Amino acid sequence: MKIEAHAKVNLSLNVVRKRDDGYHELEMIMVPLTLHDDVTVELSEQDSYSCNIEGLAIDESNTVVKAVKLMKDTYGIKEHFHVHMEKHIPMQAGLAGGSADGAAVMKGIHALLDLKVPISELSMLSKQVGADVPFCVYDTPAVVKGIGEDVTPINCQLDFEILLVKPQEGVPTGKAFSMIDFQTCEHPDYRKVQHAMETGDYKAFCESLGNTLEQPAFQIVPLIKDIKQELLGMGFDGVLMSGSGSTVFAISKNHALIEEAYHKYDKEGYFVYKTKIIG
Ligand SMILES: C[C@](O)(CO)[C@H](O)COP(=O)(O)OP(=O)(O)OC[C@H]1O[C@@H](n2ccc(N)nc2=O)[C@H](O)[C@@H]1O
Ligand SMILES: Nc1ncnc2c1ncn2[C@@H]1O[C@H](COP(=O)(O)OP(=O)(O)OP(=O)(O)O)[C@@H](O)[C@H]1O
C-alpha cells in the first residue's frame, strides 16, 4: 500500500508560553501541500525498513520505526511490516517531513489490517511519535493547538500558488524554541488567518500571516531573513518562514512570478519547489 506523506506549512504560528514540561503551547494554522514523500507499507516476514536516501538513521529515533512500534503495542498487532520511504521533503526544513512519514505509516497499517479506529483516536495516539504528527494524520487545513495534539479541520476558500525556498542550513527545532525572547517576540493572531481563509479574503489573509519562531530562527540562520526580504521585494503577496525553519514560503496568484523566482533560486543552489495547498 502506497501512501502520500504530505509536507505542511504553518500559515500562523503563535508560541503562547513555555510549559512546565519544557514543551511550548502553540496556536497554529497548518495546511498540507502537494509536495510529498511516498511511503509504502506491506506485510512482511519481519519488520524491516528502506529509504531512497543515505544518511537518514532508520533506528528508534526515526518516526517510521516509532509509528510501527506504537501501532503494534497499542493494538496488539502480531503481523510484521516492510516500510519503504521515498523522500522528497527536505529535512530540518519546518515542513514536517518526518512527521508526515510517521502519520503515513500509522494510516497504512490501519488500512492494511482494516482496524476501523476513528481518525480522532489515531490522531491523538500519534502525538507519541511527534508534535506535528496529529495534524499529519488529519492531512487537511486545520487549527492546531496544545503542543500539536488539538486538531480542528477548517475550510480554505482561497486559491493561490506557493513557492518553497530552503537554504542548505537547517534549524534544529528544539534550539529555535529555546531561543525565543518572550519580551520582544511577535504573537500572530491565528483567528485572523482562519477568518480570511474561510471567507476567501486574500488581502487580509496575506496581511495576517505570522510566526513567533522567525525571530530565533533568523538569529540561528540569518540567510532565512535575507530570503524573506528578497521574496517580498520581488512582489510576492505574503512571505513567511514555516515552522521552525529553515524553509521560507512565498504566496502569489501570479504564475509568471512563481516561475521567475523558481529559476532564480534553483540556479543559486537552493531547494526550491512549486506547490499548492491540498484540501
Ligand atoms: C515547530 C513545529 O514544526 C510547528 O508545526 C512543530 O511544533 C515541531 O514539531 P516536531 O518537529 O514534530 O517536534 P518534536 O520532534 O516533537 O519536538 C522537537 C523539539 O522541539 C521542541 N518543541 C516542539 C514542539 C512544541 N510544541 N514545543 C517545543 O518546545 C522541544 O524541545 C522538542 O524536543
Ligand atoms: N522519517 C523521517 N524522515 C526525515 N527525518 C526524520 C525521520 N525520522 C526521524 N527524522 C529525524 O528528525 C529530524 C527532523 O525531521 P524533519 O527534518 O523531517 O522535520 P522538520 O523539517 O524539522 O519538520 P517540523 O519541525 O516542521 O516537524 C531529521 O533531521 C531527522 O534526523
Side-chain angles (χ1 to χ4, degrees):
M1 170 165 305
K2 192 161 150 182
I3 302 118
E4 290 188 356
H6 298 115
K8 60 83 181 168
V9 287
N10 306 78
L11 299 174
S12 185
L13 193 164
N14 179 29
V15 182
V16 181
R17 67 178 179 101
K18 188 171 178 179
R19 308 188 330 175
D20 293 340
D21 64 2
Y23 267 76
H24 293 75
E25 190 183 317
L26 307 172
E27 292 174 336
M28 304 186 282
I29 305 277
M30 294 169 78
V31 290
L33 304 177
T34 56
L35 170 63
H36 61 273
D37 292 344
D38 289 301
V39 177
T40 309
V41 184
E42 287 161 337
L43 288 168
S44 176
E45 290 295 304
Q46 56 182 31
D47 288 337
S48 58
Y49 304 90
S50 55
C51 183
N52 67 324
I53 57 161
E54 284 174 28
L56 174 63
I58 307 189
D59 54 20
E60 299 73 44
S61 71
N62 195 293
T63 52
V64 157
V65 179
K66 285 186 189 171
V68 169
K69 185 172 185 324
L70 180 64
M71 289 299 282
K72 291 176 82 163
D73 290 353
T74 305
Y75 297 111
I77 296 167
K78 300 280 179 268
E79 286 85 349
H80 299 290
F81 304 94
H82 176 72
V83 179
H84 178 72
M85 282 176 275
E86 283 285 321
K87 299 255 355 146
H88 306 292
I89 307 171
M91 290 188 259
Q92 293 214 339
L95 298 173
S99 308
D101 296 347
V105 166
M106 291 182 70
K107 289 197 283 189
I109 293 176
H110 178 259
L112 264 183
L113 302 186
D114 197 20
L115 293 178
K116 296 193 168 62
V117 175
I119 189 164
S120 53
E121 181 181 320
L122 212 57
S123 173
M124 193 50 82
L125 179 68
S126 76
K127 75 175 177 186
Q128 293 178 44
V129 179
D132 274 344
V133 189
F135 160 78
C136 294
V137 168
Y138 275 96
D139 202 26
T140 189
V143 172
V144 181
K145 293 186 185 173
I147 64 161
E149 77 285 4
D150 178 356
V151 182
T152 309
I154 57 172
N155 284 317
C156 182
Q157 302 296 336
L158 292 166
D159 187 30
F160 51 81
E161 291 184 63
I162 297 175
L163 189 74
L164 305 176
V165 182
K166 183 194 171 292
Q168 287 265 309
E169 204 179 334
V171 177
T173 304
K175 187 172 178 190
F177 275 104
S178 71
M179 283 175 59
I180 296 170
D181 177 355
F182 281 96
Q183 302 297 318
T184 58
C185 69
E186 182 197 358
H187 285 292
D189 184 352
Y190 77 91
R191 283 162 296 218
K192 286 188 183 162
V193 179
Q194 180 183 0
H195 187 257
M197 286 170 81
E198 288 175 340
T199 57
D201 188 340
Y202 182 65
K203 188 165 177 288
F205 170 75
C206 292
E207 283 168 0
S208 52
L209 303 171
N211 180 350
T212 307
L213 290 171
E214 275 192 342
Q215 179 201 52
F218 286 175
Q219 276 176 267
I220 299 166
V221 181
L223 187 53
I224 300 171
K225 187 178 182 181
D226 299 342
I227 294 170
K228 178 174 175 171
Q229 296 306 339
E230 204 168 42
L231 286 161
L232 283 169
M234 289 179 79
F236 281 91
D237 299 319
V239 183
L240 193 71
M241 186 187 79
S242 180
S244 53
S246 58
T247 303
V248 176
F249 63 94
I251 287 171
S252 180
K253 294 187 176 192
N254 176 353
H255 186 68
L257 177 59
I258 296 272
E259 288 294 336
E260 180 196 334
Y262 174 87
H263 290 295
K264 171 185 150 52
Y265 287 103
D266 188 38
K267 245 190 245 160
E268 291 176 14
Y270 292 91
F271 169 84
V272 55
Y273 195 86
K274 293 172 270 184
T275 189
K276 289 191 85 165
I277 291 178
I278 295 176

